[in-house]
Amino acid sequence: FDALRISLQLDESVQQIRQSIVRIIPSMLDLPIVNLSGSLKDISQRLMPLRQWINGSQRYKSWGEYYTYMRQNKSWADDPCIWAAVMVYNVKIEVIVDSMEGSRIFDKLDSWDAGRTSRSIILGNYHPRHFVATAPLDRPPRFGGSKAAGDSGDSESESESDPRSEEHTSELQS
C-alpha cells in the first residue's frame, strides 16, 4: 500500500489507502480479471471473475477471512488489491516481476464498462505480496506524504514483517 502511496503521490495515510482499496473489492467480485498464472496465450481463455481468485489462494479459505486480514495495519497488498487500486485511483498499473515473467499489466477491461484509466504507474514486485515503488527518471518519488490525524506513520514500518510471510524484507511494504 505504501508503494501505491509513493507512486501515486497520495496525501492519504497508508491505512486510508488500504481501507479504500479493500472496501471496493466486494463490488468487483463479478468483474472479469486476467488470470495471471498459467500459460494460456489467448487472453479470452485467461479471464475469470475476481471471485474465483480465492479458490487458487493457499493463504485464505474464504473472502470473509481475506477481508478481515486485509483490513489489518500490517497486511500486504496482493492481486485483488492491485485490481481494486486500478478502479479506486483510475490508474493502469504495470508490475515488473523479479522472475522470468517480465511484467504484469493491471488495467480496466472493456467488459468492466468503467471507461479508460487516466494515468499509469510502474511498481516492482519480487515476492508475490511485496510491491515497491518506482519512478520515471524525470519525476523522483515523493517519499513524504501527510499523515492523517492519529496516524503514527509506522503502521507499515520497514522493520515489521507480515506474520503470514515466510520471507522478511526490509524494503517498502505494500
Side-chain angles (χ1 to χ4, degrees):
F1 297 100
D2 200 36
L4 290 168
R5 183 186 61 79
I6 292 167
S7 295
L8 293 169
Q9 298 186 346
L10 301 171
D11 289 328
E12 301 169 68
S13 72
V14 171
Q15 187 61 14
Q16 289 171 317
I17 294 166
R18 175 193 297 40
Q19 296 306 318
S20 295
I21 288 172
V22 173
R23 187 175 21 255
I24 197 173
I25 292 174
S27 69
M28 296 180 65
L29 291 180
D30 292 323
L31 292 179
I33 61 166
V34 178
N35 179 359
L36 298 171
S37 61
S39 60
L40 297 174
K41 300 291 182 204
D42 180 2
I43 194 166
S44 66
Q45 294 177 344
R46 297 180 73 184
L47 291 177
M48 68 178 200
L50 178 59
R51 176 180 311 285
Q52 290 179 3
W53 177 88
I54 203 80
N55 298 336
S57 171
Q58 297 174 356
R59 188 171 300 276
Y60 310 103
K61 292 181 178 76
S62 68
W63 280 104
E65 180 183 339
Y66 175 84
Y67 298 134
T68 298
Y69 181 72
M70 290 311 291
R71 287 184 183 112
Q72 297 175 19
N73 285 346
K74 301 197 180 7
S75 60
W76 290 7
D78 54 16
D79 285 7
C81 291
I82 300 299
W83 283 109
V86 167
M87 189 68 89
V88 171
Y89 296 105
N90 195 29
V91 62
K92 174 182 174 181
I93 302 173
E94 180 175 0
V95 177
I96 306 298
V97 182
D98 184 25
S99 72
M100 299 304 288
E101 288 183 55
S103 67
R104 299 165 51 193
I105 305 295
F106 294 79
D107 199 0
K108 292 178 182 176
L109 302 178
D110 291 339
S111 60
W112 290 12
D113 197 26
R116 299 271 182 218
T117 49
S118 61
R119 56 190 169 160
S120 62
I121 61 171
I122 299 172
L123 299 178
N125 177 234
Y126 69 89
H127 184 271
R129 295 175 48 236
H130 186 137
F131 298 93
V132 293
T134 65
L137 294 175
D138 63 344
R139 183 182 55 109
R142 186 182 77 195
F143 289 97
S146 63
K147 296 183 174 101
D151 183 4
S152 66
D154 55 19
S155 63
E156 294 285 324
S157 171
E158 292 181 13
S159 64
E160 298 178 54
S161 66
D162 180 341
R164 294 182 179 216
S165 176
E166 296 175 12
E167 184 175 317
H168 176 74
T169 60
S170 60
E171 296 183 20
L172 293 175
Q173 296 179 4
S174 296

